[in-house]
Amino acid sequence: MKTTRPSFGWMIAAGAAVAFGAPLALDSGGALAQATSPAGKHFDAKGNLPSMFTIELRKGVSATLPFEDRRDFEEAKKGFIAEPPFMKIMADAGNVAWDMGSYQWLLQGKDFPSIHPSLQRQAVLNMAFGLYEVLPGRIYQVRGFDLANISFIKGDTGWIVFDPLTAKETARAALEFINEKLGKRPVLGVVYSHSHVDHFGGVRGVVDEADVVSGKVKLIAPEGFMQAAIEENVFTGNAMSRRTQYSYAVLLPRDPFGHADQSIGKNVASGNVGLIPPNHLIKRDFEEVTVDGVKMVFQNTPDTEAPVEMNTWFPQFKAFWAAENITGTIHNIYTPRGAPVRNALNWSKQINVALYKFGQEAEVMFASHSWPRWGNARIQEVMRTQRDTYANLNNQSLHYANLGVTINEIQNVYQLPPSLWKQWPAHSYHGSEQHNSRGVINRFLGYWDGNPVNIAPLSPKDSAPLYVEMMGGSAKIVARGKELIDQGKYLEASEILNKLVFAQPGNQVAKDLLANAFEQLGYQKESPTLRNIYLQGAYELRNGLPGGTPVRSSGPDMIRAMSTENWLDFIGISIDPRKAGGMHFTINLITPDNGEKYLVEMSNATLTNIKGEQAKTPDLTITVNRAELNQVMMGTNSFDDLIKAGKATFVGDRKPFDQLRSILVSFAPNFEILPGTAAPTAAADAKRNEEPNPFKVPDLMPPDAAGD
């Protein structure tokens, strides 16, 4: 039942052949898709083409890479059934949830010297779009509908869905598409492999919650899933949203000079993010479950790519599901958007367990990103390569640390062994050797490098003027910066120009020069994460912070899943300590519908809470059902609204509540990262956009931060 696709199979091969064998040229050529720039023209009026140094570096790197190994391209095409007649998926709210067409310029069969050759290869591989057969008659994937893949296991009577994408709309479109091509079947099981939003947020597009609650649909997840799905993004959600604008370059055009790829997929869907609690948790290291005639052995792998995650073995099919533990890239150990540093050694060990527990028999390995691998020898090769790369990253970084190499040096010391560099599955697209090696040292030794001057250093805005003075003033620094850029020494130029920009935020000449250095560094990076960071920095130095109000992504499911304790903890983070001095009060919070009680206390300019306790003589007692508190947390109702409606009661002195409300700060992801980039109206915009309800929680799952 295969449908001809005249473009992708040929273009993915032709694009690779041109990109990795033809002479390099400055002209990127061709008319680009929506949201991309005209042929050969930079989207930014101040933007630059790749320099001769970048092009020469690119040629040198190309010569060291194993472009003769084309197995990934064959595997990425294998099993293709059909491509949908659309490129865009619309969100129910009316916006574009997904647009694969915005990346079609990658399939022109051209080489783009503004993109690292290895990254361009990965970006072309990630252009898979449509329905694919993984195991005849049993396992299928819809790829290119979101950052992740959605996988369908054919049971005796229905589908078992693995990782239902980020948004309801993209997951629904995938289910409709596979049913159209292979025949309509009910969804009888859903598996969340781990706690990142691109692996569960679209669940309402494939099942109804009532069917999960009744047990008609089995929804399976690793133990600790609900807590992990929420807490990673609660306390620093606003900062993560801002940093995500750098690491995912969500504000840049999809363009050879802007966003080209996200390594584990093209980008993240922007639709209705949902969450249905699982009704079956995998608690043991290995646990067997049968759904609709399909036997599955789950392997819990906590503290790997996510705080909770699990692989799955299908003994009937000799198929291994690697979740996001084994994909077409070495992942982030430290994720620059901000999250707890991951355990590279444990990650390696869990892959090793899977290799010897299941990999000796597996004939197909598929995952929540990238493309499957077939044949036992190939599967073991990829598993060993990724196992060894994570272990090497951990062991070498700590080896050098024990020789005195610091967190501020390791990125210039650590290198993959040549035997791994020559294998594509060892390349760090989502991660990078540079920031991952720093992450390993940070996990074990922290941020301090052992130098007393760095244990409590001056802030950059205070230290930068000293450097500028010692370097002879701005004119000399600008002149030297130009010399370094003209010599292709972009990192050196960025070091001195960064000091000048911090000392003189209004010096646009310096900011433009620093942007030029950042831009070339971005073009040179294999990792899209590093590329995005440099290119977003260049954009903001030239144009200032982007305007507008950030889209809010947290829906009712996320709020319901957030514990009251998490919310109270975030309220404690949100208070302005400069205004809290001298305040002393206790508040009892009671939520009768779920039987919870909390004691909230303000003392020493600090708000604390304890679950299950009540003050004997509180200043105020607030009683509100958690179902109604959800409306306060979402910002759709205030406490005063609930009191007027008889849905909340205040007993005692209201003053502590009013004091608390008066000192809460509403965070917005528009703070400066680079000096002198805030628009003149930023303060006014922030005031205008200030949340009307200060008890409203931030976005718990920034859509751009998924899968990180």
Side-chain angles (χ1 to χ4, degrees):
M1 168 150 203
K2 303 214 170 179
T3 304
T4 304
R5 184 186 183 191
S7 59
F8 180 72
W10 176 82
M11 282 183 150
I12 197 170
V18 172
F20 313 126
L24 300 174
L26 283 176
D27 181 17
S28 56
L32 304 184
Q34 182 181 359
T36 62
S37 66
K41 185 178 179 182
H42 200 295
F43 65 84
D44 191 333
K46 291 184 176 181
N48 298 302
L49 299 178
S51 70
M52 59 178 285
F53 301 104
T54 294
I55 291 174
E56 288 302 314
L57 177 65
R58 195 174 186 272
K59 287 179 180 178
V61 170
S62 294
T64 70
L65 291 165
F67 288 118
E68 69 281 358
D69 181 357
R70 300 188 48 76
R71 289 176 294 172
D72 286 335
F73 287 96
E74 295 306 313
E75 290 163 338
K77 293 186 296 180
K78 186 174 178 177
F80 174 73
I81 295 176
E83 179 183 279
F86 52 82
M87 288 281 181
K88 288 184 181 179
I89 299 172
M90 301 303 295
D92 294 344
N95 61 292
V96 176
W98 182 254
D99 183 8
M100 198 65 169
S102 63
Y103 292 101
Q104 290 302 297
W105 51 271
L106 282 160
L107 296 181
Q108 294 173 357
K110 299 190 176 189
D111 183 77
F112 298 103
S114 56
I115 305 174
H116 188 286
S118 176
L119 173 55
Q120 183 172 333
R121 174 188 178 277
Q122 182 78 356
V124 172
L125 282 164
N126 280 332
M127 289 300 291
F129 183 51
L131 175 61
Y132 291 79
E133 183 180 72
V134 177
L135 187 70
R138 280 300 191 174
I139 301 175
Y140 302 87
Q141 288 187 317
V142 175
R143 301 183 207 141
F145 276 43
D146 206 323
L147 185 71
N149 303 325
I150 182 170
S151 300
F152 295 87
I153 316 302
K154 192 175 184 180
D156 292 343
T157 61
W159 296 118
I160 304 167
V161 177
F162 272 63
D163 287 6
L165 307 182
T166 308
K168 173 184 178 181
E169 295 87 345
T170 52
R172 182 176 61 206
L175 178 61
E176 290 173 352
F177 188 57
I178 193 172
N179 280 338
E180 174 194 334
K181 295 300 178 183
L182 301 183
K184 188 172 183 179
R185 300 168 69 86
V187 174
L188 300 180
V190 175
V191 174
Y192 299 150
S193 71
H194 64 285
S195 54
H196 291 149
V197 70
D198 53 322
H199 302 269
F200 66 81
V203 64
R204 292 186 182 274
V206 296
V207 293
D208 292 326
E209 185 169 11
D211 290 336
V212 175
V213 173
S214 70
K216 180 180 177 181
V217 173
K218 183 161 283 189
L219 205 167
I220 304 169
E223 185 177 31
F225 169 83
M226 289 297 285
Q227 180 73 4
I230 297 299
E231 70 178 8
E232 185 175 287
N233 294 278
V234 173
F235 298 151
T236 58
N238 187 71
M240 280 189 185
S241 293
R242 179 70 175 108
R243 292 160 66 106
T244 294
Q245 294 172 4
Y246 274 70
S247 57
Y248 273 61
V250 295
L251 304 176
L252 298 184
R254 295 166 182 186
D255 181 287
F257 302 104
H259 191 276
D261 196 59
Q262 204 53 51
S263 75
I264 53 174
K266 301 317 296 179
N267 215 300
V268 187
S270 180
N272 190 323
V273 177
L275 176 59
I276 299 175
N279 57 20
H280 186 107
L281 294 176
I282 303 301
K283 299 180 180 180
R284 299 191 296 274
D285 289 347
F286 298 95
E287 189 169 326
E288 184 178 305
V289 178
T290 299
V291 177
D292 195 29
V294 177
K295 184 184 294 184
M296 298 172 285
V297 179
F298 294 100
Q299 175 198 0
N300 258 322
T301 64
D303 198 19
T304 51
E305 189 272 335
V308 297
E309 189 151 355
M310 60 187 188
N311 300 327
T312 309
W313 169 242
F314 298 87
Q316 296 154 293
F317 312 144
K318 294 190 182 301
F320 178 65
W321 161 262
E324 201 167 335
N325 286 319
I326 305 171
T327 61
T329 174
I330 295 302
H331 220 287
N332 286 314
I333 298 305
Y334 167 67
T335 177
R337 70 175 169 89
V341 176
R342 292 157 185 169
N343 189 333
L345 182 59
N346 182 61
W347 200 330
S348 171
K349 287 179 179 291
Q350 292 289 1
I351 293 174
N352 212 16
V353 170
L355 170 64
Y356 285 97
K357 185 81 172 176
F358 310 120
Q360 307 304 304
E361 298 180 60
E363 292 299 331
V364 61
M365 179 171 68
F366 64 117
S368 56
H369 295 279
S370 308
W371 48 92
R373 272 79 176 208
W374 287 269
N376 187 256
R378 171 65 164 160
I379 290 166
Q380 290 202 42
E381 173 195 348
V382 172
M383 293 179 82
R384 282 189 168 88
T385 297
Q386 295 222 335
R387 175 200 66 183
D388 293 349
T389 305
Y390 287 115
N392 185 272
L393 176 67
N394 181 85
N395 296 348
Q396 267 205 51
S397 297
L398 296 183
H399 171 86
Y400 285 120
N402 281 305
L403 292 174
V405 176
T406 72
I407 193 171
N408 294 322
E409 298 168 321
I410 188 64
Q411 71 275 11
N412 298 312
V413 175
Y414 175 76
Q415 285 187 319
L416 271 180
S419 59
L420 286 174
W421 175 254
K422 288 292 187 180
Q423 300 184 63
W424 291 116
H427 281 251
S428 297
Y429 297 107
H430 208 43
S432 79
E433 294 171 40
Q434 292 170 302
H435 80 263
N436 272 346
S437 58
R438 299 190 78 195
V440 170
I441 292 185
N442 185 53
R443 180 180 180 89
F444 286 91
L445 293 174
Y447 68 87
W448 184 44
D449 63 359
N451 186 330
V453 76
N454 292 325
I455 190 64
L458 289 169
S459 297
K461 66 180 179 62
D462 297 320
S463 63
L466 297 175
Y467 284 95
V468 170
E469 179 185 354
M470 288 184 292
M471 286 188 278
S474 61
K476 286 190 175 182
I477 298 172
V478 166
R480 183 60 176 144
K482 287 179 179 177
E483 288 177 4
L484 290 168
I485 288 173
D486 289 343
Q487 295 167 15
K489 297 180 178 179
Y490 303 117
L491 201 58
E492 291 89 337
S494 69
E495 282 282 339
I496 65 169
L497 290 167
N498 188 60
K499 296 290 191 296
L500 178 54
V501 168
F502 268 94
Q504 299 177 5
N507 189 330
Q508 191 60 48
V509 171
K511 288 191 290 186
D512 286 345
L513 277 175
L514 181 56
N516 292 346
F518 280 172
E519 187 170 54
Q520 297 300 322
L521 288 168
Y523 292 160
Q524 294 175 8
K525 293 303 178 184
E526 179 181 47
S527 164
T529 300
L530 294 191
R531 170 188 172 89
N532 293 341
I533 288 169
Y534 282 119
L535 295 185
Q536 181 64 34
Y539 178 85
E540 291 190 7
L541 284 165
R542 291 165 174 161
N543 302 286
L545 289 181
T549 304
V551 175
R552 183 172 175 80
S553 62
S554 290
D557 288 348
M558 296 297 176
I559 300 302
R560 283 195 295 266
M562 184 180 183
S563 71
T564 306
E565 184 174 7
N566 280 158
W567 173 68
L568 290 171
D569 288 341
F570 183 75
I571 296 300
I573 292 169
S574 300
I575 69 167
D576 186 340
R578 297 165 299 182
K579 298 178 181 178
M583 290 185 182
H584 298 276
F585 56 74
T586 55
I587 299 175
N588 283 343
L589 174 65
I590 303 170
T591 52
D593 58 340
N594 64 0
E596 290 184 349
K597 297 180 179 181
Y598 292 86
L599 167 57
V600 181
E601 184 172 358
M602 172 70 83
S603 65
N604 298 308
T606 305
L607 192 73
T608 60
N609 69 84
I610 182 169
K611 185 178 180 179
E613 294 288 342
Q614 296 278 271
K616 293 180 180 179
T617 56
D619 296 295
L620 174 65
T621 297
I622 299 175
T623 304
V624 58
N625 282 334
R626 174 56 203 259
E628 304 300 338
L629 184 59
N630 288 338
Q631 302 303 311
V632 175
M633 295 164 68
M634 288 183 63
T636 57
N637 264 323
S638 68
F639 275 106
D640 286 328
D641 293 332
L642 296 179
I643 291 170
K644 290 176 184 177
K647 295 180 179 179
T649 60
F650 281 19
V651 176
D653 185 0
R654 182 190 166 99
K655 181 180 177 182
F657 172 82
D658 291 330
Q659 284 183 316
L660 178 59
R661 182 167 59 179
S662 71
I663 62 172
L664 292 181
V665 175
S666 295
F667 301 121
N670 59 357
F671 53 82
E672 274 192 346
I673 289 178
L674 292 166
T677 55
T681 59
D685 288 344
K687 186 66 177 176
R688 278 197 302 272
N689 295 329
E690 189 173 339
E691 303 285 5
N693 183 351
F695 294 100
K696 180 178 177 180
V697 300
D699 278 335
L700 305 185
M701 294 285 174
D704 347 276
D708 216 4

